[in-house]
Amino acid sequence: MLKRSLFIALISVAIVFQACGNKENNKENETVNAMVSANEYVLTATDAKTQYIVKKEAAGFTLENAKGKVIIFDIFATWCPPCQASAIHLSSLQKKFKDDLVVIGVTIEDGISNADLEDFKSKFHAEYTIVNSDQNRRLVNEVATSLKLGDRFPIPIMAMYKDGKLITHYIGEVQEEFVESDIKRALGK
């Protein structure tokens, strides 16, 4: 009887310690996952199928599977006249540098529908990727912070990166030729 009671007590203690160990491991895993996800943004295109994974690096941002390419994040709103005017120029640049450039339009508008963004693309000839996900605001805020623009910043903002390094950024409407010149410089052309 004493052996049985001792055996049950040992099993109970082992179960308690095992459960505590799992909780500690779970908390540790959650902390690691939070740190990883804090530097990663999963952006969903307006087709609701294509996803882009953006990672925060020490000096800027990288886009998964875009090594060696110039990345332009166009931070915009559909109601913004300079943003509307920039769309056709970004489309032109995307066509000129199709193998070396990725333009991603990141809307600041929370709750906008994909249909409204598709209407914007059609009306203003935005022939590049526009993303609409719950990660947009996080990425926009992080880009603005890294550019030292403060909490309230003007739009459009175009931030240009290559392999995780900031090349340059523009605020407001900018001439296509200036952006093209910086793309060529970044590509070594």
Side-chain angles (χ1 to χ4, degrees):
M1 184 75 171
L2 180 62
K3 287 182 184 179
R4 185 174 181 200
S5 297
L6 187 58
F7 180 72
I8 291 173
L10 284 173
I11 298 258
S12 299
V13 169
I15 290 172
V16 167
F17 282 117
Q18 179 64 30
C20 290
N22 284 344
K23 285 182 183 175
E24 288 174 12
N25 286 342
N26 286 343
K27 286 181 182 177
E28 188 175 299
N29 288 341
E30 287 174 14
T31 302
V32 169
N33 288 340
M35 286 173 27
V36 169
S37 66
N39 292 325
E40 186 174 281
Y41 308 86
V42 179
L43 307 175
T44 305
T46 54
D47 67 5
K49 296 176 187 171
T50 309
Q51 291 192 319
Y52 297 87
I53 299 174
V54 177
K55 293 183 181 176
K56 173 81 168 103
E57 302 289 332
F61 296 87
T62 59
L63 180 64
E64 192 172 82
N65 299 322
K67 186 166 178 61
K69 294 184 179 189
V70 172
I71 311 301
I72 295 178
F73 293 110
D74 174 40
I75 299 171
F76 78 103
T78 57
W79 46 261
C80 162
C83 303
Q84 295 165 353
S86 296
I88 197 157
H89 299 296
L90 289 169
S91 294
S92 173
L93 292 167
Q94 183 67 80
K95 285 179 189 173
K96 284 181 191 175
F97 297 98
K98 62 183 172 187
D99 295 328
D100 298 315
L101 174 68
V102 178
V103 176
I104 298 181
V106 185
T107 180
I108 63 166
E109 297 168 273
D110 295 325
I112 190 168
S113 71
N114 286 342
D116 288 342
L117 289 171
E118 287 295 323
D119 288 345
F120 173 86
K121 286 178 74 169
S122 177
K123 185 175 180 182
F124 298 103
H125 310 287
E127 297 174 19
Y128 51 89
T129 299
I130 292 181
V131 293
N132 187 21
S133 70
D134 60 351
Q135 303 281 304
N136 280 24
R137 183 59 75 169
R138 276 186 55 229
L139 177 61
V140 166
N141 289 341
E142 190 62 39
V143 169
T145 299
S146 71
L147 297 174
K148 297 180 171 92
L149 299 178
D151 291 336
R152 295 185 170 267
F153 46 84
I155 55 172
I157 298 170
M158 282 186 254
M160 185 185 301
Y161 300 90
K162 182 176 181 213
D163 296 329
K165 292 187 172 84
L166 176 68
I167 304 301
T168 191
H169 73 282
Y170 313 95
I171 298 173
E173 193 170 349
V174 64
Q175 295 296 317
E176 183 177 329
E177 293 79 17
F178 293 140
V179 181
E180 182 174 354
S181 174
D182 287 331
I183 292 169
K184 286 179 180 177
R185 184 174 46 86
L187 293 172
K189 293 183 176 186

